[in-house]
Amino acid sequence: MHKLTEIRWHARAGQGAVTAAKVVAETALSAGKYMQAMPEYGPERMGAPIKAFTRISDGPIEIHNNIEFPDVVIVLDASLLEVVNCIEGLSEEGMVIVNTCSPAEEVKAALGVSASVQVACVDASGIAYDTIKRDIPNTPIVGAFCKVSDVIDVHTFKDLLARSLGKKFGPKMVDANHAAIDRAYEEVTLA
């Protein structure tokens, strides 16, 4: 049986979750893995809660529905934890990665997850403001994801991002995003 990792992203429209889901999938593809990435939109307005999904596997993926029982949940806006059941269906050995300044131990306690669930926290918004000059926390949160999981490699992610951003925005934006990824990779905490 092939190793399959299912990731569910929770964010507000405009935070880059759909883009992050796709870029993580493309990074996996460039490393020779199979992938899927898909969004689920609600009301189409800035700030509305949205979900996105990524599947990564060592072999062909034969399921094509939304992810109900994720291995990883990534939350780009911690305020969603109060209004959406972000951890619904999370596997017993799962992981939650949250964009927050709060310590991972506090977030884990507040979520009420089992001891076997790992919770990682990083101030992806703060890092994005400092490096990219905008509150688009998607690249820093993926940097944190690279550190706390073995799903994709941070160097492969940065290379892919450089190619895609370089064409569209130029080297200054590539450098800013690489700085954001590096900081999140170093600053993420795990409980």
Side-chain angles (χ1 to χ4, degrees):
M1 178 127 175
H2 302 294
K3 180 180 179 189
L4 174 68
T5 302
E6 295 186 311
I7 306 163
R8 188 173 63 216
W9 304 75
H10 291 271
R12 294 192 183 276
Q15 291 184 308
V18 172
T19 300
K22 289 177 186 176
V23 173
V24 166
E26 290 169 6
T27 302
L29 180 65
S30 71
K33 296 186 180 199
Y34 294 80
M35 60 75 171
Q36 291 178 347
M38 59 213 140
E40 177 185 277
Y41 296 105
E44 293 188 26
R45 67 183 191 288
M46 286 294 272
I50 62 111
K51 291 180 195 173
F53 308 93
T54 307
R55 281 191 182 94
I56 298 171
S57 177
D58 295 331
I61 302 171
E62 298 179 5
I63 47 178
H64 302 283
N65 57 335
N66 290 346
I67 296 169
E68 295 180 27
F69 303 102
D71 302 297
V72 180
V73 170
I74 300 177
V75 183
L76 275 80
D77 187 322
S79 72
L80 290 172
L81 296 172
E82 299 171 17
V83 294
V84 175
N85 185 1
C86 295
I87 61 168
E88 179 180 21
L90 180 66
S91 74
E92 284 296 316
E93 304 294 320
M95 176 182 291
V96 181
I97 304 170
V98 183
N99 171 18
T100 181
C101 297
S102 299
E105 296 81 16
E106 285 181 19
V107 174
K108 185 171 186 168
L111 289 173
V113 294
S114 68
S116 60
V117 171
Q118 292 184 304
V119 175
C121 294
V122 66
D123 181 13
S125 289
I127 292 170
Y129 274 127
D130 288 348
T131 57
I132 305 167
K133 308 302 181 207
R134 295 180 64 199
D135 184 12
I136 302 178
N138 60 350
T139 53
I141 205 94
V142 175
F145 171 68
C146 290
K147 173 75 176 257
V148 299
S149 76
D150 62 353
V151 178
I152 62 170
D153 174 70
V154 71
H155 301 294
T156 307
F157 170 59
K158 287 171 67 174
D159 290 346
L160 181 92
L161 196 64
R163 288 193 303 273
S164 63
L165 284 180
K167 294 176 191 173
K168 206 171 188 180
F169 299 108
K172 188 175 180 179
M173 187 56 76
V174 170
D175 292 344
N177 275 274
H178 281 183
I181 293 163
D182 291 341
R183 273 195 53 195
Y185 190 90
E186 293 304 319
E187 295 177 20
V188 63
T189 60
L190 191 61

